[in-house]
């Protein structure tokens, strides 16, 4: 059986569309925020990864969201570019305007359908909700032939009413029907039953793509997503690293590798270039300031580590004894020795290309090369991980209002530590000379003196990028201001410098977040 879709043409029944919502639902995670340049870089990485649909944002949420969706629609080729919209004229109109320039485009509109949401959130009767389903999809179709409709809180919706809503959406022209587990309430049996029922009972359901969008509140998002596919869903909505509202969304890397690793249980195929998974995961961690936990499936640093003697013995005899997939299949590589201080610009450019940075411009390349030379002077051995850390720290965050220039620190057991810090604020260099209870405290006091703010420091942690006493330190800083939480990261062989870079990264994210507004019912 095939489905004819305006953006995908004739689809066989084993094809699964990967719909990535890292830039929309993912960015709604507490503490996460990206500026426009960061979103564009992430969008480029997602396109290279091979996602079929990219939900670029919620254009009606704020002027910044509208601009970022517009920029992504103008510059990203390959994936279908999607804008989210509530069932409201302004939302749908803004989404239509934002995606207008996209090579392939979609509007994703939604409304709540569960009794709880209709009564307390929408304050609407079921028949009124049905009217909004029809009118919203009809309006969206005036902007694009590809319209996705979602039943917010679909898994807690009465199945008869859900079927009526789905039928109305299809009649109005929806080409994809999403039944989200908005609050992570469902178990796999629920997902299988709901999708099977909709596909069997709703006229026209066999002519559209059914989609699953699962949240991870009970830790079942990936299992629920795979159950939905068995029930007839052929689009998977997911995020890199599983980021998203509350406990997050179904993890893209886990879903696609479950399909690839277990074709006997999941006889489907997708277009993800799995060897790019780790690089994309690390890029997101760098941009957002959130590292994945070490035991995270697929992309955690322990995902392919074996410490047990029994496991190590088995691995030495045959890797398949304890590895169900190869590390290389998702982008892991053994730590490799790379260039030193005598390496030239051409060799450095080749190394960056091999590490996935083939699109750096001349200015960004020069900045990264200069920092590499400085690192090579201070570090005995430079690893691939070191280059990734410094390039992400220097280049990925190159378009920010606050920039690090220099730091000098005096510290010891007999005198109060002192920090002399120079920053660039909106192109203007400023200096502060401050003291503190320790060198980090003194440096943070200097940041506050140059850029006064009311954010409170909630977390400061330090880790190492690679091994050895000369390893680069990777610091994480968490700031909170008026209920808004952001994390920042920084890397340097000097731990105090890394801490300052992390604090500055967090402050830049906080500036971005201050400008954001949050309309009701963002989750779908």
């Amino acid at each position: 059986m095939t489905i004819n879709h305006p953006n995908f043409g004739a689809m066989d029944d084993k094809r699964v569309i990967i719909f990535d919502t890292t830039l929309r639902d993912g960015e709604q995670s507490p503490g996460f925020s990206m500026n426009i340049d960061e979103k564009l870089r992430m969008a480029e990485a997602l396109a290279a990864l091979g996602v079929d649909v990219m939900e670029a944002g919620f254009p009606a949420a704020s002027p910044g969201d509208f601009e970022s969706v517009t920029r992504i629609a103008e510059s990203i080729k390959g994936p279908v570019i999607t804008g989210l919209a509530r069932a409201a004229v302004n939302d749908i109109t803004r989404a239509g305007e934002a995606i207008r320039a996209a090579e392939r485009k979609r509007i994703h509109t939604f409304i709540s359908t569960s009794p709880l949401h209709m009564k307390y959130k929408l304050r609407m009767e079921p028949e009124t909700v049905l009217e909004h389903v029809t009118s919203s999809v009809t309006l969206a179709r005036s902007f694009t032939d590809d319209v996705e409709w979602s039943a917010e809180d679909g898994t807690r919706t009465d199945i008869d009413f859900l079927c009526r809503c789905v039928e109305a959406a299809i009649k109005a022209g929806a080409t994809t029907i999403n039944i989200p587990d908005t609050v992570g309430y469902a178990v796999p049996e629920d997902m299988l039953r709901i999708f099977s029922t909709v596909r069997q009972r709703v006229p026209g359901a066999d002519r559209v793509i059914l989609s699953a969008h699962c949240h991870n509140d009970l830790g079942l998002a990936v299992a629920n997503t795979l159950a939905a596919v068995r029930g007839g869903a052929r689009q998977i909505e997911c995020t890199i690293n599983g980021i998203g509202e509350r406990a997050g969304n179904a993890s893209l890397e886990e879903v696609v590798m479950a399909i690839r690793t277990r074709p006997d249980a999941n006889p489907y195929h997708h277009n993800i270039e799995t060897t790019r998974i780790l690089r994309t995961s690390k890029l997101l961690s760098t941009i957002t300031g959130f590292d994945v936990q070490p035991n995270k499936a697929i992309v955690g640093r322990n995902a392919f580590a074996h410490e047990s003697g029994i496991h190590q013995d088995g691995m030495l005899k045959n890797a398949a004894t304890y590895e169900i997939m190869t590390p290389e299949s998702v982008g892991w590589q053994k730590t490799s020795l790379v260039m030193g201080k005598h390496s030239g610009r051409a060799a450095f450019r080749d190394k960056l290309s091999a590490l996935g940075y083939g699109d750096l411009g001349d200015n960004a390349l020069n900045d990264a090369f200069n920092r590499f030379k400085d690192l090579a002077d201070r570090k005995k051995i430079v690893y691939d991980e070191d280059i990734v850390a410094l390039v992400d720290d220097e280049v990925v965050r190159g378009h920010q209002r606050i920039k690090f220039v220099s730091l000098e620190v005096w510290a010891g057991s007999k005198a109060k530590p002192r920090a002399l810090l120079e920053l660039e604020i909106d192109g203007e260099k400023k200096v502060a000379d401050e003291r503190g209870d320790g060198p980090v405290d003194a440096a943070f006091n200097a940041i506050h003196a140059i850029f006064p703010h009311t954010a409170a420091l909630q977390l400061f942690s330090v880790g190492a990028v690679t091994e050895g006493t000369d390893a680069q330190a990777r610091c994480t800083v968490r700031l909170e201001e008026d209920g808004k939480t952001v994390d920042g990261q920084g890397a340097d062989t000097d731990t105090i410098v890394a801490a300052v870079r992390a604090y500055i990264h967090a402050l830049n994210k906080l500036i971005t977040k201050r400008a954001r507004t949050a309309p009701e019912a963002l989750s779908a």
Side-chain angles (χ1 to χ4, degrees):
M1 185 184 70
T2 60
I3 296 173
N4 286 307
H5 189 275
N7 264 317
F8 295 102
M11 284 179 51
D12 69 79
D13 197 43
K14 298 301 182 182
R15 167 82 155 92
V16 174
I17 292 170
I18 302 299
F19 176 116
D20 181 272
T21 184
T22 300
L23 297 174
R24 199 278 298 173
D25 199 326
E27 207 211 3
Q28 292 169 211
S29 305
F32 286 55
S33 190
M34 305 181 213
N35 62 33
I36 291 176
D37 291 303
E38 290 168 339
K39 286 185 176 182
L40 281 169
R41 185 166 180 81
M42 196 68 219
E44 290 167 357
L46 291 170
L49 181 65
V51 303
D52 298 295
V53 184
M54 185 186 306
E55 191 161 50
F58 192 157
S62 70
D65 275 9
F66 179 84
E67 183 180 356
S68 64
V69 175
T70 301
R71 292 270 300 276
I72 290 170
E74 291 170 345
S75 60
I76 301 299
K77 307 303 179 185
V80 176
I81 306 301
T82 304
L84 184 70
R86 292 168 295 184
V89 172
N90 180 67
D91 277 35
I92 294 170
T93 301
R94 292 290 280 173
E97 293 169 350
I99 64 168
R100 180 180 291 125
E103 179 182 64
R104 304 162 72 202
K105 56 194 173 187
R106 174 185 295 185
I107 290 177
H108 178 192
T109 183
F110 69 95
I111 192 169
S112 297
T113 55
S114 69
L116 192 63
H117 278 219
M118 287 190 293
K119 181 177 180 179
Y120 293 104
K121 176 183 166 184
L122 298 180
R123 293 183 172 85
M124 289 183 186
E125 294 297 320
E127 294 305 316
T128 305
V129 169
L130 268 171
E131 293 170 4
H132 277 72
V133 171
T134 298
S135 62
S136 61
V137 173
T138 300
L139 178 59
R141 278 299 300 258
S142 69
F143 292 96
T144 174
D145 291 338
D146 189 355
V147 174
E148 177 172 340
W149 177 79
S150 285
E152 185 176 12
D153 206 20
T155 57
R156 295 194 297 177
T157 297
D158 173 78
I159 191 64
D160 292 332
F161 184 65
L162 178 63
C163 288
R164 291 180 65 199
C165 289
V166 170
E167 184 176 1
I170 293 173
K171 285 182 177 179
T175 51
T176 298
I177 299 295
N178 181 39
I179 304 171
D181 187 27
T182 304
V183 295
Y185 177 78
V187 296
E189 292 80 5
D190 295 330
M191 302 301 292
L192 180 60
R193 171 180 50 81
I194 291 169
F195 277 86
S196 298
T197 301
V198 168
R199 189 156 189 182
Q200 292 166 6
R201 285 178 47 181
V202 177
D206 59 338
R207 299 193 304 273
V208 300
I209 294 171
L210 299 183
S211 177
H213 177 120
C214 298
H215 280 263
N216 205 39
D217 297 71
L218 294 176
L220 295 171
V222 170
N224 283 341
T225 299
L226 294 173
V229 174
R230 289 196 297 275
R234 289 299 179 266
Q235 177 176 279
I236 290 171
E237 305 198 4
C238 47
T239 60
I240 301 297
N241 296 345
I243 67 171
E245 291 271 16
R246 304 179 313 280
N249 289 270
S251 164
L252 181 149
E253 57 273 13
E254 294 176 23
V255 170
V256 300
M257 290 310 293
I259 291 174
R260 172 174 167 157
T261 306
R262 290 296 308 276
D264 56 324
N266 305 296
Y268 313 107
H269 59 92
H270 52 70
N271 288 338
I272 295 297
E273 177 53 61
T274 63
T275 57
R276 302 188 71 95
I277 284 175
L278 183 65
R279 180 73 201 101
T280 311
S281 167
K282 288 186 173 181
L283 175 63
L284 180 64
S285 293
T286 298
I287 289 174
T288 61
F290 277 78
D291 281 328
V292 298
Q293 71 269 26
N295 63 329
K296 168 75 167 65
I298 314 300
V299 294
R301 69 173 180 267
N302 290 349
F304 295 93
H306 303 273
E307 188 165 324
S308 162
I310 295 173
H311 286 209
Q312 289 176 344
D313 179 67
M315 285 291 295
L316 289 171
K317 293 173 179 175
N318 188 325
T321 55
Y322 287 101
E323 282 186 352
I324 60 173
M325 64 194 107
T326 66
E328 292 79 11
S329 69
V330 296
W332 283 101
Q333 297 177 352
K334 292 181 179 178
T335 298
S336 57
L337 202 67
V338 292
M339 305 164 296
K341 62 182 179 181
H342 299 297
S343 299
R345 193 180 306 270
F348 183 68
R349 186 193 293 271
D350 288 342
K351 172 57 69 174
L352 291 184
S353 179
L355 293 173
Y357 294 101
D359 57 346
L360 291 184
D362 289 340
N363 291 337
L365 177 67
N366 289 337
D367 290 343
F369 182 70
N370 290 335
R371 192 165 170 196
F372 160 72
K373 296 292 279 187
D374 178 60
L375 177 66
D377 282 335
R378 290 183 286 151
K379 201 173 186 300
K380 297 175 186 176
I381 299 173
V382 179
Y383 294 99
D384 286 357
E385 292 90 338
D386 291 311
I387 293 181
V388 169
L390 75 85
V391 173
D392 285 346
D393 200 55
E394 187 73 27
V395 178
V396 173
R397 303 170 193 156
H399 304 281
Q400 305 206 343
R401 288 185 57 191
I402 309 172
K403 296 182 180 180
F404 174 82
V405 178
S406 67
L407 173 69
E408 292 183 70
V409 174
W410 295 265
S413 61
K414 294 184 178 180
K416 194 164 188 178
R418 173 187 167 203
L420 179 62
L421 176 67
E422 184 177 5
L423 300 179
E424 186 179 293
I425 312 292
D426 294 327
E428 180 183 353
K429 290 185 178 180
K430 297 185 177 183
V431 177
D433 189 342
E434 296 292 326
R435 298 181 184 273
D437 291 335
V440 173
D441 186 51
F444 287 179
N445 287 341
I447 295 174
H448 199 283
I450 294 174
F451 190 83
H453 56 276
T454 59
L457 179 65
Q458 289 189 327
L459 172 71
F460 171 63
S461 67
V462 182
V465 174
T466 54
E467 301 84 5
T469 57
D470 63 349
Q472 286 193 92
R474 185 189 296 279
C475 292
T476 299
V477 165
R478 179 172 298 159
L479 300 178
E480 188 275 332
E481 180 186 72
D482 298 330
K484 296 181 175 70
T485 304
V486 293
D487 276 26
Q489 287 188 333
D492 197 271
T493 54
D494 187 311
T495 303
I496 312 303
V497 173
V500 169
R501 289 182 179 275
Y503 200 113
I504 292 169
H505 181 213
L507 272 182
N508 278 301
K509 289 177 64 180
L510 190 60
I511 292 170
T512 299
K513 205 155 193 175
R514 284 172 178 169
R516 289 178 59 90
T517 56
E520 295 177 6
L522 271 173
S523 58

